[in-house]
Amino acid sequence: MRPPLGGGRTRKMSNNYNDIPFGIRIVQKLSRQCCPRLHARRDLLYKVSIFVLTFLAYACYHMCRKPISVVKSVLQGNCSSAQAAQLHEGQDCGYAPFDGPDATKLFGMLDSAFLFTYAIAMFASGFVAERVSLRYFLSMGMILTGVFTYMFGIARTSNIHSLWYFILIQICAGIFQTTGWPGVVTLVGRWFGRSKRGLIFGIWNSHTSIGNILGTLIAAHYVESDWAMSFVVPGIIIGAIGFLLFLFLVDQPEIVGCYPDSVPHERRVTNDSDEEHDDEEQVRHNAAEISYRSAPTERTPILASSHSQSHQREHGSGRPISLIDALYIPGVVEFSLCLFFTKLVSYTFMYWLPLYIQSSSTLGPTLSADLSTLFDVGGIFGAIAAGYISDLTGMSATICTGMLFIASPILLMYQQYGALSVSISVLLLIVVGIFVNGPYALITTSVSAELGQHSSLEGNANALATVTAIIDGTGSIGAAVGPLLAGLISTTGWQNVFHMLIIADIIAMLLLGRLVVKEFASLRRSPTRIRIE
């Protein structure tokens, strides 16, 4: 038996076949018997399954965040006389305690309860995600998120009017929503290499906008008839998808005999040539490798000894790093602070756009919610464009700065001319979505993955969840501050809210100045695709 690397004790090898999800075991048996050619291409199939499952998972997380922004107008009691006449017996405009003059303040409290909890818990979530099975981590988080989303809706059917009930639900939902981002980004980082990472992440990150759109459309469908269903339906959907992940999500490539791109080609050929072997035998063979990789050793800094460095480069693994160590990775602080202001703008739109459209036009709650989805449609195009250009140039900071520079005047144009007509509003909302969500998507996906596998980590792939949590956690604090400030500032006029958003965009742009200078300096030295160094 080969001695353990790094001087640690070897753990007793377990039967790793039992770690394979139950649904995957069934698929493996069926593919071997019915589709041998399909079984031979299992690496690709597993990657497709990871892409689809993580896409669905995070789309559901965002779907559950949107109903509150749609039902605000109904809870507040902004019913027109025509809408009031159409109400059924026993219904009225508004729902206590949100039907009073302080409704905007109360909504701000709900948003802040969720978003500040989300931001704080995100740092702990990334720490936990690196140390547990992501299949259990994500499926549990999704099911519990569904439970608390459902509980917000049944407040209406149970005739609950306590403000503290709603705040507690938002706090719990914020905690379990944090399981999503570190989990899905780490999974995609494990399974997909660096080739065309920006484009892959750009397409994949459209789950955010798709989830927002689905959440808005579902909530809008029920908002004027029974707003409780605006929460109940998304809660049931995310719970069902969470159970699907429990059955089919493979959180480690090695469990099913696959290897990341960092593993040398000779080793892949050696193991992949044994097609005649049963998957169970192949997995048990790989368990020995995993036991050596995960053998407990003494805590080491990011820059490990030369022996462990070579082992990490070979296997793409290593010890989880601390939050402090992650902050020393070049670019983490700048992009984290930039995301603070970028996410502030994006989430202010997410939580207040339907109400703003309704208050600045003659549209009702349903049409206002439907129109607000165009912001997320623009976000899909912005994420893909930013990722594709990042692949071509490698200049992530420059791309973010350029998009933020364009976003500021576009925001002012929407505030000035968006209410003139529906067609102008449609066009400007899509354009705003492109340039506001483009930098946000690029930083939270491709940039986070790049920094989580930075050269200073010496191949330690276990840093990815921590880096992702730091960047998105910092951004989430901005996401909490933005809607809170919007609720307070909107009482003085919506134009002041837009001025706040423009200032936030300008600050975000300036924070990346040092990295932009470094990128252009690197480009002058070597006019080829560059990386953050």
Side-chain angles (χ1 to χ4, degrees):
M1 180 178 290
R2 191 177 62 179
L5 294 171
R9 294 183 296 114
T10 305
R11 295 188 301 181
K12 183 178 179 180
M13 187 183 73
S14 61
N15 181 1
N16 258 55
Y17 184 73
N18 294 328
D19 295 334
I20 300 177
F22 179 75
I24 293 296
R25 296 188 210 174
I26 296 176
V27 171
Q28 286 177 340
K29 292 179 180 179
L30 292 176
S31 64
R32 284 198 305 271
Q33 296 171 2
C34 305
C35 307
R37 292 185 179 180
L38 197 62
H39 180 67
R41 297 179 62 85
R42 60 187 179 277
D43 286 26
L44 176 61
L45 293 177
Y46 285 129
K47 284 188 176 182
V48 171
S49 72
I50 291 296
F51 188 95
V52 172
L53 288 174
T54 53
F55 185 98
L56 290 175
Y58 209 68
C60 287
Y61 277 107
H62 264 263
M63 176 184 65
C64 291
R65 299 178 194 179
K66 283 298 291 182
I68 183 66
S69 67
V70 176
V71 303
K72 279 178 179 176
S73 59
V74 173
L75 296 178
Q76 187 175 358
N78 288 339
C79 293
S80 63
S81 56
Q83 291 168 340
Q86 294 175 1
L87 292 174
H88 300 293
E89 184 178 354
Q91 289 183 312
D92 54 25
C93 286
Y95 187 84
F98 307 106
D99 55 350
D102 59 345
T104 302
K105 177 183 176 181
L106 298 183
F107 288 140
M109 292 175 64
L110 288 186
D111 294 342
S112 298
F114 174 86
L115 292 168
F116 278 110
T117 303
Y118 180 88
I120 295 170
M122 178 61 74
F123 294 98
S125 186
F127 182 85
V128 174
E130 290 181 353
R131 292 159 174 81
V132 299
S133 167
L134 291 179
R135 178 165 69 97
Y136 293 102
F137 186 70
L138 280 171
S139 57
M140 179 201 70
M142 293 180 70
I143 292 171
L144 290 175
T145 296
V147 168
F148 289 106
T149 304
Y150 181 89
M151 289 178 66
F152 196 108
I154 63 171
R156 182 181 184 277
T157 57
S158 301
N159 201 31
I160 298 174
H161 295 276
S162 171
L163 175 64
W164 288 107
Y165 172 85
F166 292 103
I167 290 178
L168 181 62
I169 291 299
Q170 289 291 83
I171 290 174
C172 293
I175 292 172
F176 291 108
Q177 281 261 356
T178 61
T179 58
W181 194 242
V184 296
V185 172
T186 301
L187 282 167
V188 175
R190 285 177 182 175
W191 278 91
F192 293 88
R194 297 191 175 190
S195 177
K196 297 184 179 179
R197 171 179 282 169
L199 179 59
I200 291 173
F201 268 121
I203 297 172
W204 176 77
N205 192 68
S206 62
H207 53 47
T208 299
S209 297
I210 295 294
N212 289 340
I213 292 170
L214 287 175
T216 301
L217 294 179
I218 292 172
H221 180 75
Y222 295 106
V223 65
E224 295 188 64
S225 59
D226 183 3
W227 63 262
M229 297 301 293
S230 298
F231 294 90
V232 170
V233 173
I236 293 174
I237 292 174
I238 191 174
I241 299 298
F243 184 67
L244 186 69
L245 260 68
F246 178 77
L247 292 178
F248 292 99
L249 184 69
V250 181
D251 58 0
Q252 289 281 1
E254 295 85 357
I255 291 176
V256 289
C258 299
Y259 293 96
D261 292 344
S262 58
V263 176
H265 178 69
E266 312 84 59
R267 296 195 49 172
R268 279 187 250 171
V269 171
T270 300
N271 287 278
D272 289 345
S273 62
D274 297 329
E275 292 293 342
E276 69 277 7
H277 287 308
D278 188 87
D279 274 318
E280 181 175 355
E281 291 301 320
Q282 185 181 29
V283 169
R284 288 176 180 175
H285 171 75
N286 293 330
E289 301 296 328
I290 296 173
S291 67
Y292 290 125
R293 296 184 199 185
S294 56
T297 58
E298 294 183 1
R299 178 182 174 86
T300 57
I302 295 179
L303 300 178
S305 65
S306 59
H307 183 70
S308 61
Q309 287 175 9
S310 61
H311 175 60
Q312 290 175 0
R313 281 192 294 268
E314 178 183 357
H315 297 287
S317 62
R319 280 302 178 196
I321 66 172
S322 68
L323 295 175
I324 301 299
D325 288 337
L327 290 175
Y328 283 101
I329 300 172
V332 167
V333 173
E334 290 90 340
F335 277 112
S336 296
L337 293 176
C338 175
L339 188 63
F340 175 95
F341 293 98
T342 305
K343 209 167 180 179
L344 180 153
V345 177
S346 181
Y347 268 63
T348 300
F349 269 86
M350 178 191 294
Y351 279 87
W352 289 98
L353 184 57
L355 186 60
Y356 167 73
I357 293 174
Q358 183 181 351
S359 64
S360 62
S361 67
T362 58
L363 300 178
T366 301
L367 291 177
S368 297
D370 291 343
L371 185 61
S372 71
T373 60
L374 294 172
F375 174 75
D376 293 297
V377 172
I380 296 174
F381 293 109
I384 295 174
Y388 179 70
I389 299 172
S390 175
D391 278 338
L392 293 178
T393 64
M395 303 174 70
S396 302
T398 303
I399 294 166
C400 291
T401 301
M403 297 186 84
L404 291 168
F405 180 79
I406 299 173
S408 298
I410 296 297
L411 284 170
L412 186 60
M413 290 177 61
Y414 176 69
Q415 187 268 321
Q416 293 287 336
Y417 307 111
L420 293 181
S421 70
V422 174
S423 57
I424 293 176
S425 182
V426 167
L427 176 62
L428 289 177
L429 273 175
I430 293 175
V431 177
V432 168
I434 291 173
F435 292 101
V436 167
N437 284 333
Y440 162 40
L442 185 63
I443 294 172
T444 55
T445 55
S446 181
V447 170
S448 294
E450 190 76 26
L451 294 174
Q453 296 172 334
H454 193 268
S455 58
S456 64
L457 297 170
E458 300 294 342
N460 183 359
N462 282 330
L464 184 53
T466 298
V467 171
T468 300
I470 289 174
I471 294 176
D472 197 54
T474 306
S476 297
I477 297 174
V481 171
L484 176 63
L485 292 178
L488 298 174
I489 298 175
S490 62
T491 57
T492 65
W494 283 104
Q495 70 277 6
N496 294 326
V497 175
F498 279 90
H499 294 161
M500 174 196 74
L501 300 180
I502 292 170
I503 292 172
D505 261 342
I506 293 173
I507 296 173
M509 180 176 61
L510 295 175
L511 286 168
L512 295 180
R514 188 182 71 87
L515 295 180
V516 172
V517 172
K518 289 183 66 176
E519 287 180 347
F520 274 99
S522 299
L523 186 63
R524 285 195 298 269
R525 290 195 302 268
S526 177
T528 57
R529 188 174 183 274
I530 63 174
R531 294 278 183 186
I532 302 170
E533 296 179 355

